[in-house]
């Protein structure tokens, strides 16, 4: 897959050019336009993780410990310089800072997204993972509020395939692959208004819970 176990060391011929035009450009957009921090992440191939730990519990699905995060506001030149130390790294976004995540099955998420947009409700960025999940970006604090919100909406005792991710977790962002299973893609890409101020979880949760329950 172009890297060696024990640290991401891709073949230098062409890897930096590809990084500059894909990962670096995407990371610079995340930091410069959307105001998100980015963590270089490990990648997986043949069941092995590029972090070098042969017993890694999450191959290709965690930040690289030796590589610092790239802060919000970093320019393309800043990103290219930082990424040259970890060519081929996955693009991970720290959750709990600019956004939290509501995680639902992709089928339910796609149906809910159509309904939310028809209803004119504010919707933030949404990604789809190769594991069949949809990640709805909501305002920070949404993960902590989820149990109480579900209780107040009467969904606390329902069997819902719906979860929240908050501070201390990371999500893989396009154009990277997630855990060697395939690329993450946008169902609804970020925009200037939704990236900086994603909607409160309560505005989406009723629809997401209803569709998840029906699906």
């Amino acid at each position: 897959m172009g890297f060696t176990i024990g640290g991401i060391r891709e073949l230098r011929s062409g890897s930096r050019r590809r990084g500059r035009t894909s990962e670096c450009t995407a990371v610079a957009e995340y930091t410069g336009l959307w105001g998100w921090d980015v963590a270089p992440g490990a990648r997986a191939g043949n069941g092995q993780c590029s972090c070098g730990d042969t017993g890694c519990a999450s191959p290709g699905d965690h930040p690289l410990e030796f590589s610092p995060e790239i802060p919000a506001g970093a320019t393309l030149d800043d990103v290219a310089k930082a990424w040259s130390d970890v060519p081929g790294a996955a693009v991970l976004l720290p959750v709990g800072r600019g956004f939290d995540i509501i995680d639902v099955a992709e089928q339910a998420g796609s149906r809910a997204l159509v309904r939310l947009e028809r209803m004119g409700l504010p919707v933030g960025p949404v990604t789809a993972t190769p594991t069949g999940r949809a990640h709805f970006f909501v305002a920070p604090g949404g993960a902590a509020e989820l149990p109480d919100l579900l209780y107040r909406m009467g969904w606390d005792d329902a069997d819902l395939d719906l979860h929240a991710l908050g501070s201390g977790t990371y999500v893989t962002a396009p154009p990277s692959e997630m855990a060697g299973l395939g690329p993450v893609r946008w169902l609804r890409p970020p925009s200037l208004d939704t990236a900086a101020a994603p909607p409160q979880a309560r505005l989406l949760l009723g629809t997401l819970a209803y569709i998840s329950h029906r699906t």
Side-chain angles (χ1 to χ4, degrees), residues 81-181:
K81 182 178 179 181
W83 221 256
S84 67
D85 294 330
V86 285
V91 179
L92 302 185
L93 303 178
V95 183
R97 302 177 191 177
F99 58 86
D100 279 4
I101 294 290
I102 296 180
D103 173 305
V104 298
E106 183 182 347
Q107 181 182 6
S110 296
R111 291 176 59 190
L113 181 58
V114 171
R115 177 170 293 201
L116 288 164
E117 291 177 334
R118 285 177 178 172
M119 294 168 65
L121 291 173
V123 183
V126 185
T127 60
T129 76
T131 56
R133 309 299 297 178
H135 288 167
F136 284 73
F137 288 48
V138 296
E145 297 171 353
L146 185 64
D148 184 58
L149 289 173
L150 290 173
Y151 173 77
R152 285 190 281 153
M153 293 179 180
W155 289 107
D156 56 307
D157 59 351
D159 184 16
L160 299 177
D161 184 10
L162 183 152
H163 314 279
L165 304 176
S167 182
T169 61
Y170 296 81
V171 291
T172 305
S176 292
E177 289 194 358
M178 177 182 173
L181 300 174

Side-chain angles (χ1 to χ4, degrees), residues 12 20 33 47 49 64 70 73 79 138 143 152 162 193:
R12 299 295 170 148
R20 181 77 184 216
L33 279 181
C49 185
L64 291 168
I70 301 173
V79 171
V138 296
R152 285 190 281 153
L162 183 152
D193 55 340

Side-chain angles (χ1 to χ4, degrees), residues 41-44 48-50 56 58-62 90 92 172 177-180:
R43 296 183 71 173
Q48 294 181 304
C49 185
S50 63
C56 180
S58 302
D61 194 24
H62 64 85
L92 302 185
T172 305
E177 289 194 358
M178 177 182 173

Side-chain angles (χ1 to χ4, degrees), residues 26-48:
V27 172
E29 185 175 288
Y30 295 152
T31 59
L33 279 181
W34 314 138
W36 298 335
D37 299 329
V38 174
R43 296 183 71 173
N46 299 321
Q48 294 181 304

